[in-house]
Amino acid sequence: MHSLFRKVLLLLLFGLVSVQAAFAQKFSISGTIKEKKTGEVLIGASVVVVENKNTGCISNEYGFYSLTMEKGKYKILFRYMGFKDQAFEIDLNKNLTLNIDAESSEGKELNEVTVSAKNNNVKTAQMGLTKIDIKEIQAIPVLFGEKDVMKTIQLMPGVKAVGEGKSGFYVRGGASDQNLILLDEAIVYNPSHLLGFFSTFNSDAIKDLTLYKGTAPANYGGRLSSVMDVKMKEGNNQEYHVDGGIGIISSKLNIEGPIKKDQGSFLVSGRRTYADLLLSLSSDTLVKKTKLYFYDLNAKLNYKFGKKDRLYLSGYFGRDDLGLGSIFGINWGNATGTLRWNHIFSDKIFSNTSLILSDYTYNISINNSGINATIFSEIRDWNFKEEIEFFSNPKNTMRIGLSSIYHTITPGQINGTNITAYNQPDTRCLENAVYFANTWKPTVRLNIDYGLRLSSLSLMGGSNYYDLNTDGSIKDTLNYASGSIFKTYLNPEPRLSIGYVLTDESSIKCAYTRNSQYLHLISNSTTSNPTDKWVPSNNVIKPEVADLVSLGYIRTFKNDMYELNVETYYKNMLNQIDYKDNANVVNNDPIEPKLLFGQGRAYGLELFLRKNKGKFTGWISYTLSRTETQINGINNNKWYAARQDRTHDLAIVGIYQASKKVTLSATFVYYTGDAVTFPSGKYHVNNQVLFYYTERNGYRMPSYNRLDFGITKKLKDHGKFSSELSFSVYNAYGRQNPYIITFEDDPNNANKTQVVQTSLFRWVPSIAYNFKF
């Protein structure tokens, strides 16, 4: 199928080229843009024709660009934030290859922590886009001093933290499982360490991060709310380097260098916490045997085979281990692997072929009170992707592709002594998609991105499926032959974004996007933890569908020094999932009878003001939003606030380059309380206190606010060795923000109930030493 698809696609594309050539004599200039010092390709670099600044292109995610114009002499300008502008005189009388080695502009000014202006998309149609420069992350103070891409994302408009210190996030009213998180194209199902206080992404191994808030191009799919696309560094192909850091919680080491100069490179990056090593020094036998740590490893190889082929092999492996001696233990982790082949068919046609593995598992062991048990769960994906990008002309860039994911989901299997074993068969399904997308510039002022993604989910036999009664109880267990396909869902997902340039500094935009989601996260109703389970859509659980409409205005000031972005949106969601009242989702009984289904809606306003240049940089982001759900059987069938509903969300980030050696930074965060279900009363039955609940999510947690600050001082920067010392304080004024609120009997009067607030972090100082040679 892959071979036939590629042949038909290439015939179509070459046919378009031939038709185009018949009308005008045109030639292409193409090549790869990379950083001269390291060999890392640059994503989103601009190539502009000086004679006509409205003619140009940007490099794709592999640094490749292509520009087709009529025969003639031109001056081509390369531009990328943080790098020197480069101009080239060309005589375009044939197809030309021009590879660009970009030189960093660091050291020219005191702007080493300059906020990247790559997000300045005045002249594009893309909406809901956030790009993060890794240099920004290095300067922002976070919990335990660990630089974290996911904590930085939470400071952007439309993105809300799941809770205190957590890596999870909500985007434009979507639940945390409605975010597609990719690492070199591989899905990361649980992007957190230590119950969410750290993310799986080691910033030393990351090159680029892009977040699409619902309006992603057609080559992305499978989630309702957002796509977070993280790309690892390729490694320095010019010289060897070692860098690392030592902190109070964790240490890390990064090694990179050329396999063959200018032709191939490698990167290996590792990180580990060592709380368990400190616990082993305790005199308490039980504490001494306590496990509390995580580790992760990133690795990547790439190699050029000739001028037209490049092979990438990247992988990630991370694991958490928590335990109390031999009594209890839980470990979980992700493993990903991506094999990619880039091939340049011509000056206009670029292809990427990928084979991807994603694997997430958790293991629980219990040995207490005569019970010796283990619980195991896993979700494993094999994914094949083929994509061809066609740089037709300066007005059109097309992508055509396909994706096929084979999901194998092992539910929580229970085995052991003195317990009832539970081993439900694996669930297998195929998630397929074909897509077409085009970036079209019909006029100087009008930009249009449009596309169509056709996605499907095919359910395979060999597992247990259920037929339910009208009250939700199981009527019958359905079985189908292993490997057979007995049901297929098919969903068209159109995408359209329109941008109109008002002036060189401002534009207005609007967009419509439909997304479908076939996998769903089943979690406890109050917290998120590693034992949450993914389940696919089936004959009972329908695919979730969302229609998102958005409108925006973007404006830059003073030669891109300042940027203002205003966006408003409305999202309608179908087949939303929530639990029945009093549902027990902890055990391994079939989940279908415990669920109810309905609709959701989310709407909001996002404001973003950013200073990109100068000694002082940073941003202010504000979100005003509402997220509601209506499901028959919950809250008297009335609309109610969703778990992720939050009215106000404010973040202020400031970074100040005090001198060549000292950088100061501060972050202030405020948001109103999350929607939560609290008891409205209580009653006694058989001398036991039972709480009485009325509205679902009818109450609010107290509001949250926090100030963090940090300082980084360069110690040495001599030749090939450099070092720095970073100090930060999380929650600088020691506010006791609520993490959990519980209701308990007053020990002095059983007829009264007292509210108990649990807070986690007050005045958390951190210090780290980083080096590079």
Side-chain angles (χ1 to χ4, degrees):
M1 177 180 177
H2 163 57
S3 177
L4 178 62
F5 172 80
R6 172 171 281 189
K7 290 179 180 178
V8 172
L9 189 58
L10 288 176
L11 285 173
L12 174 63
L13 295 179
F14 279 122
L16 291 172
V17 174
S18 300
V19 170
Q20 184 186 42
F23 289 95
Q25 190 175 14
K26 296 185 177 182
F27 299 100
S28 299
I29 176 174
S30 61
T32 300
I33 304 174
K34 59 185 177 66
E35 185 178 353
K36 182 177 181 179
K37 186 177 179 181
T38 66
E40 292 276 354
V41 300
L42 298 182
I43 303 170
S46 298
V47 179
V48 181
V49 179
V50 175
E51 290 85 355
N52 182 0
K53 294 185 178 180
N54 294 304
T55 299
C57 65
I58 61 173
S59 58
N60 67 8
E61 55 266 49
Y62 302 101
F64 180 80
Y65 76 95
S66 178
L67 189 59
T68 300
M69 299 176 291
E70 294 184 5
K71 179 179 179 181
K73 295 183 178 180
Y74 299 94
K75 187 176 183 180
I76 304 297
L77 178 66
F78 155 80
R79 178 167 290 169
Y80 191 78
M81 189 65 183
F83 289 79
K84 298 176 183 177
D85 290 353
Q86 294 186 42
F88 302 89
E89 301 277 355
I90 63 168
D91 185 0
L92 196 61
N93 54 23
K94 62 179 180 179
N95 291 333
L96 297 177
T97 298
L98 177 62
N99 296 318
I100 300 173
D101 292 325
E103 294 186 53
S104 173
S105 60
E106 283 191 4
K108 293 176 62 178
E109 303 174 13
L110 293 180
N111 63 347
E112 293 180 62
V113 292
T114 296
V115 177
S116 171
K118 290 184 288 183
N119 192 37
N120 179 8
N121 56 357
V122 170
K123 295 184 179 180
T124 69
Q126 181 66 54
M127 291 192 67
L129 174 68
T130 297
K131 290 187 76 70
I132 296 292
D133 193 313
I134 301 302
K135 292 179 183 178
E136 296 173 28
I137 297 171
Q138 303 298 333
I140 296 175
V142 292
L143 181 62
F144 301 132
E146 188 73 24
K147 307 306 180 184
D148 198 317
V149 296
M150 295 186 70
K151 298 289 198 317
T152 305
I153 280 291
Q154 295 170 6
L155 301 173
M156 297 297 174
V159 184
K160 305 177 181 182
V162 168
E164 171 85 78
K166 295 288 187 178
S167 294
F169 56 92
Y170 306 129
V171 176
R172 289 188 171 178
S176 58
D177 71 319
Q178 294 175 357
N179 304 311
L180 178 65
I181 299 175
L182 302 173
L183 178 62
D184 274 2
E185 300 186 273
I187 299 174
V188 179
Y189 281 99
N190 186 347
S192 65
H193 287 302
L194 290 184
L195 304 178
F197 295 117
F198 296 85
S199 83
T200 58
F201 301 113
N202 181 354
S203 61
D204 286 350
I206 303 304
K207 176 174 69 174
D208 184 83
L209 185 150
T210 304
L211 179 72
Y212 299 93
K213 295 182 288 188
T215 55
N219 50 302
Y220 297 102
R223 299 294 185 273
L224 291 195
S225 294
S226 77
V227 178
M228 191 174 89
D229 191 358
V230 182
K231 291 182 171 57
M232 290 170 53
K233 294 178 181 177
E234 278 97 40
N236 194 315
N237 68 7
Q238 299 298 307
E239 55 188 10
Y240 296 98
H241 282 286
V242 176
D243 59 87
I246 302 172
I248 61 174
I249 296 294
S250 66
S251 292
K252 53 191 177 180
L253 187 67
N254 186 71
I255 304 172
E256 59 182 325
I259 298 174
K260 184 177 181 180
K261 192 172 182 179
D262 291 320
Q263 197 162 346
S265 61
F266 73 91
L267 168 79
V268 179
S269 185
R271 179 176 56 160
R272 191 193 193 278
T273 58
Y274 30 71
D276 58 314
L277 302 179
L278 300 176
L279 292 174
S280 65
L281 301 176
S282 173
S283 58
D284 188 306
T285 304
L286 189 59
V287 173
K288 193 172 184 177
K289 294 181 179 180
T290 298
K291 296 179 180 179
L292 179 62
Y293 71 93
F294 75 80
Y295 63 89
D296 48 33
L297 178 70
N298 296 76
K300 191 167 185 177
L301 301 171
N302 75 93
Y303 199 83
K304 294 179 184 177
F305 296 90
K307 296 181 179 180
K308 295 187 175 182
D309 295 281
R310 190 172 188 177
L311 200 65
Y312 297 84
L313 178 63
S314 62
Y316 167 83
F317 184 80
R319 207 107 200 130
D320 285 71
D321 201 344
L322 307 179
L324 188 61
S326 61
I327 298 174
F328 174 81
I330 175 172
N331 68 80
W332 71 93
N334 299 275
T336 71
T338 305
L339 178 64
R340 290 200 303 259
W341 170 40
N342 288 171
H343 180 68
I344 301 173
F345 282 101
S346 73
D347 300 285
K348 295 184 177 183
I349 301 175
F350 180 93
S351 81
N352 179 63
T353 306
S354 302
L355 180 63
I356 307 159
L357 168 68
S358 296
D359 187 87
Y360 172 69
T361 64
Y362 72 76
N363 296 272
I364 299 175
S365 62
I366 303 171
N367 185 10
N368 191 29
S369 301
I371 296 177
N372 189 341
T374 60
I375 304 173
F376 172 78
S377 184
E378 178 180 28
I379 177 168
R380 174 178 291 180
D381 295 345
W382 284 101
N383 182 8
F384 173 78
K385 291 178 64 178
E386 171 65 39
E387 181 176 282
I388 293 181
E389 192 170 8
F390 176 41
F391 298 83
S392 174
N393 54 54
K395 292 186 176 182
N396 289 275
T397 300
M398 291 187 289
R399 287 181 186 241
I400 300 176
L402 63 84
S403 171
S404 182
I405 306 175
Y406 180 65
H407 299 289
T408 302
I409 302 173
T410 302
Q413 296 184 349
I414 303 176
N415 293 285
T417 57
N418 299 324
I419 62 166
T420 301
Y422 180 90
N423 289 291
Q424 185 172 338
D426 292 349
T427 299
R428 293 181 171 86
C429 54
L430 277 171
E431 185 176 352
N432 298 314
V434 293
Y435 57 85
F436 163 80
N438 187 37
T439 298
W440 179 33
K441 299 180 180 180
T443 69
V444 171
R445 295 189 179 274
L446 187 61
N447 301 280
I448 300 175
D449 291 347
Y450 62 90
L452 176 65
R453 182 181 181 90
L454 186 63
S455 64
S456 69
L457 182 76
S458 297
L459 302 174
M460 305 178 72
S463 187
N464 294 332
Y465 299 91
Y466 302 98
D467 184 18
L468 303 184
N469 294 307
T470 54
D471 64 355
S473 61
I474 295 177
K475 180 180 180 180
D476 192 15
T477 300
L478 309 175
N479 293 289
Y480 301 92
S482 180
S484 64
I485 294 176
F486 67 91
K487 186 176 183 61
T488 297
Y489 289 103
L490 187 66
N491 282 296
E493 303 174 28
R495 317 283 172 94
L496 176 65
S497 298
I498 302 173
Y500 185 78
V501 178
L502 301 173
T503 67
D504 287 342
E505 294 81 27
S506 64
S507 65
I508 56 173
K509 302 182 182 187
C510 61
Y512 164 75
T513 305
R514 166 166 282 206
N515 291 302
S516 301
Q517 180 165 334
Y518 299 101
L519 296 183
H520 321 277
L521 188 64
I522 305 301
S523 64
N524 185 285
S525 58
T526 57
T527 60
S528 177
N529 59 68
T531 58
D532 295 343
K533 292 179 290 189
W534 288 89
V535 298
S537 297
N538 52 39
N539 58 312
V540 175
I541 304 173
K542 309 299 184 195
E544 298 176 74
V545 178
D547 293 288
L548 174 66
V549 179
S550 52
L551 178 67
Y553 171 77
I554 184 170
R555 162 86 185 192
T556 61
F557 306 89
K558 293 188 176 180
N559 194 27
D560 293 338
M561 177 173 286
Y562 298 95
E563 174 188 339
L564 173 66
N565 201 324
V566 181
E567 292 192 15
T568 183
Y569 66 90
Y570 182 88
K571 183 193 294 183
N572 183 62
M573 296 171 281
L574 303 177
N575 302 325
Q576 296 302 283
I577 303 171
D578 209 338
Y579 303 107
K580 293 180 178 179
D581 291 337
N582 304 313
N584 179 8
V585 298
V586 177
N587 60 32
N588 281 302
D589 294 337
I591 194 65
E592 288 84 351
K594 305 173 185 180
L595 304 177
L596 292 173
F597 310 94
Q599 59 183 327
R601 63 190 180 195
Y603 46 93
L605 173 69
E606 300 169 3
L607 305 176
F608 186 58
L609 178 62
R610 182 171 184 157
K611 186 174 185 291
N612 295 316
K613 301 177 182 178
K615 290 185 178 182
F616 180 78
T617 59
W619 66 84
I620 300 173
S621 73
Y622 169 72
T623 305
L624 171 68
S625 62
R626 191 70 194 272
T627 306
E628 299 173 306
T629 307
Q630 190 274 317
I631 296 177
N632 290 338
I634 299 177
N635 202 45
N636 296 319
N637 304 335
K638 298 178 182 178
W639 287 93
Y640 62 94
R643 177 182 172 187
Q644 61 270 23
D645 180 61
R646 189 181 296 160
T647 308
H648 302 284
D649 209 301
L650 172 71
I652 303 174
V653 177
I655 304 171
Y656 180 65
Q657 188 77 51
S659 68
K660 289 184 177 181
K661 291 189 175 183
V662 178
T663 302
L664 306 175
S665 60
T667 301
F668 175 76
V669 174
Y670 168 85
Y671 55 79
T672 49
D674 294 340
V676 65
T677 302
F678 285 148
S680 301
K682 69 177 181 178
Y683 53 93
H684 293 79
V685 176
N686 296 327
N687 295 321
Q688 288 187 338
V689 176
L690 300 177
F691 288 106
Y692 173 69
Y693 296 88
T694 53
E695 294 180 75
R696 178 74 63 92
N697 295 341
Y699 296 85
R700 292 281 170 176
M701 294 283 283
S703 63
Y704 178 98
N705 63 84
R706 187 189 80 242
L707 173 68
D708 310 328
F709 71 83
I711 180 170
T712 299
K713 179 177 175 56
K714 287 187 176 181
L715 302 177
K716 293 183 179 181
D717 192 2
H718 304 304
K720 294 187 176 182
F721 180 81
S722 62
S723 63
E724 65 180 25
L725 192 65
S726 296
F727 174 77
S728 65
V729 177
Y730 179 90
N731 196 12
Y733 51 72
R735 176 178 165 84
Q736 290 183 293
N737 288 297
Y739 183 71
I740 297 174
I741 290 180
T742 57
F743 294 80
E744 302 174 0
D745 284 344
D746 189 328
N748 300 317
N749 187 345
N751 292 321
K752 292 184 178 180
T753 300
Q754 63 180 8
V755 179
V756 179
Q757 174 180 305
T758 301
S759 300
L760 290 183
F761 305 113
R762 297 186 69 186
W763 305 300
V764 183
S766 301
I767 189 168
Y769 172 76
N770 301 304
F771 61 88
K772 183 175 183 179
F773 59 88

